[in-house]
Amino acid sequence: MAMQELTFICPVCQGPLQHESQAYVCMRDQRSYPVTLGIPDFRIFHDPSVQTETEKTFTVRLAAEYPHCSFAELLACFESLIPINRSSLAAKRRLHLQTGVARGKSSLAEIQGLTKLPTRGQFLEIGCGTGPFLLAAADMFQAVVGLDISMPRLILAKKRLEEAGRPAMLTCACAESLPFSEQSFHLVVGSDMIEHVADPVKVIREGYRVLVPDGAIFLATPNRWSLTAEPHVNVWGVGFLPKGWRERYVELVQHVPYRNISLLNWFELRRLLRQTPFTRWRVILPSFPSEHTALMPVWARAAVPIYDLLRDHSLTKWLLYMFGPLFHVVCFKR
Ligand SMILES: [Zn+2]
């Protein structure tokens, strides 16, 4: 199996980089990519949902706190900087955070059931956030790489992995322009990522490029037509409204912004996949790991057996493709 050694390349020209003490430099483009706490910043545009100056302030603050803080302390510091304090949303975020590693392990088991992953493979997560999936993958892969558009979240991920004794290569970059050579990874994961990027086709194309010939990409994304609340803002029915109304509706009922989120329904997901270089994929209705269901609110826990029942019968399965909470997708490169 042909595979490249893991080194960073220029995200603009895909040429080699010179590694200097506090930066990576592309001589061809005359571009310099700065490094913070060992995390290179290869972003060539900024996340429209994040104000650059605010993000810089957070980064400086977290980098200063980093040496004498635990992951929990650093997370508390980061949360104190974010202005959202709606209790229903905070509870939801906490659940998402607590169950991240279990969900990662469960997804990896699901992927293993569909494709053979090598024992000494290389793993990339696009949109790794604070790194729960990276922790789950660290047991299975020889090299684990986490990429995210948010430097503050990567600083948190670094601390978390360090505390767990699981070092990983971290990088801040745009999912549309990955700083890696082709055929670098056996598995690429994008969990709750594809609905946030400006150009999902380009992102999946980049995932395809960096995969080895028999590698796979795994995506997890909420269903726009889900009968449960919109997971990012915890508001019911958002996905059934026309696009132009969603932001105002969420603002009205939850008083939070709803920008740069484009959920897909089953038809839109398939249309998206058809525009990528992948010719073979499987859309999966995932099971929920017990570590996750145990922490869910009572009504949601009550719905899990119904979900499992519908999922197990071919006649009722389509109901979940239409109105179930989320999709998992595995695309195979051959
Ligand atoms: Zn370059």
Side-chain angles (χ1 to χ4, degrees), residues 10 13 26 29:
C10 175
C13 69
C26 174
D29 295 332

Side-chain angles (χ1 to χ4, degrees), residues 175-224:
E176 288 88 347
S177 302
L178 301 177
F180 298 104
S181 308
E182 56 188 60
Q183 302 187 19
S184 293
F185 301 99
H186 298 88
L187 179 65
V188 172
V189 160
S191 190
D192 301 317
M193 171 276 289
I194 207 75
E195 69 273 19
H196 296 286
V197 297
D199 190 344
V201 175
K202 198 169 175 201
V203 172
I204 298 174
R205 231 177 250 157
E206 272 292 87
Y208 184 91
R209 182 180 65 80
V210 301
L211 276 179
V212 299
D214 49 0
I217 186 167
F218 169 85
L219 303 169
T221 193
N223 182 1
R224 179 161 78 80

Side-chain angles (χ1 to χ4, degrees), residues 31 35 38 82 125 149 164-165 203-204 214 233 253 278 291 327:
R31 261 177 188 265
V35 177
I82 307 172
E125 183 177 14
I149 191 82
V203 172
I204 298 174
D214 49 0
V233 289
V253 297
F278 288 101
E291 293 93 327
F327 302 116

Side-chain angles (χ1 to χ4, degrees), residues 23-34:
Y24 283 86
V25 179
C26 174
M27 299 309 250
R28 199 179 328 181
D29 295 332
Q30 298 291 306
R31 261 177 188 265
S32 174
Y33 303 100

Side-chain angles (χ1 to χ4, degrees), residues 194-308:
I194 207 75
E195 69 273 19
H196 296 286
V197 297
D199 190 344
V201 175
K202 198 169 175 201
V203 172
I204 298 174
R205 231 177 250 157
E206 272 292 87
Y208 184 91
R209 182 180 65 80
V210 301
L211 276 179
V212 299
D214 49 0
I217 186 167
F218 169 85
L219 303 169
T221 193
N223 182 1
R224 179 161 78 80
W225 281 354
S226 169
L227 297 181
T228 63
E230 204 289 345
H232 304 92
V233 289
N234 207 23
V235 175
W236 298 76
V238 184
F240 292 99
L241 293 175
K243 204 162 195 164
W245 295 11
R246 290 176 207 158
E247 191 178 334
R248 254 178 299 165
Y249 171 66
V250 171
E251 176 70 52
L252 197 73
V253 297
Q254 191 68 295
H255 311 291
V256 291
Y258 191 67
R259 280 175 223 128
N260 310 301
I261 304 175
S262 286
L263 301 193
L264 304 166
N265 62 28
W266 162 249
F267 303 102
E268 292 159 339
L269 178 64
R270 284 170 33 131
R271 199 177 311 143
L272 167 67
L273 293 172
R274 277 198 293 265
Q275 292 172 63
T276 71
F278 288 101
T279 53
R280 213 159 63 85
W281 63 77
R282 276 277 297 276
V283 179
I284 302 148
L285 301 164
S287 59
F288 295 96
S290 54
E291 293 93 327
H292 187 193
T293 51
L295 296 167
M296 278 167 142
V298 180
W299 66 265
R301 222 180 306 155
V304 171
I306 303 168
Y307 174 88
D308 288 339

Side-chain angles (χ1 to χ4, degrees), residues 8-25:
F8 293 117
I9 59 164
C10 175
V12 177
C13 69
Q14 297 186 355
L17 294 169
Q18 224 163 298
H19 191 181
E20 295 179 358
S21 63
Q22 285 306 312
Y24 283 86
V25 179

Side-chain angles (χ1 to χ4, degrees), residues 43-120:
R43 286 176 292 186
I44 51 178
F45 63 81
H46 281 267
D47 186 354
S49 65
V50 175
Q51 281 182 305
T52 313
E53 282 314 307
T54 315
E55 211 235 18
K56 262 187 205 151
T57 314
F58 290 4
T59 302
V60 169
R61 174 79 192 275
L62 290 175
E65 301 283 346
Y66 191 88
H68 56 263
C69 274
S70 66
F71 171 66
E73 288 165 340
L74 215 54
L75 183 66
C77 169
F78 181 55
E79 281 176 341
S80 73
L81 297 169
I82 307 172
I84 296 169
N85 281 311
R86 304 275 300 175
S87 59
S88 69
L89 268 184
K92 193 131 193 177
R93 279 193 192 161
R94 225 167 294 128
L95 172 72
H96 202 74
L97 200 80
Q98 285 172 333
T99 58
V101 181
R103 278 181 294 120
K105 286 201 169 136
S106 160
S107 299
L108 283 168
E110 201 179 84
I111 299 161
Q112 266 185 313
L114 292 173
T115 183
K116 203 172 165 294
L117 295 170
T119 44
R120 296 179 66 74

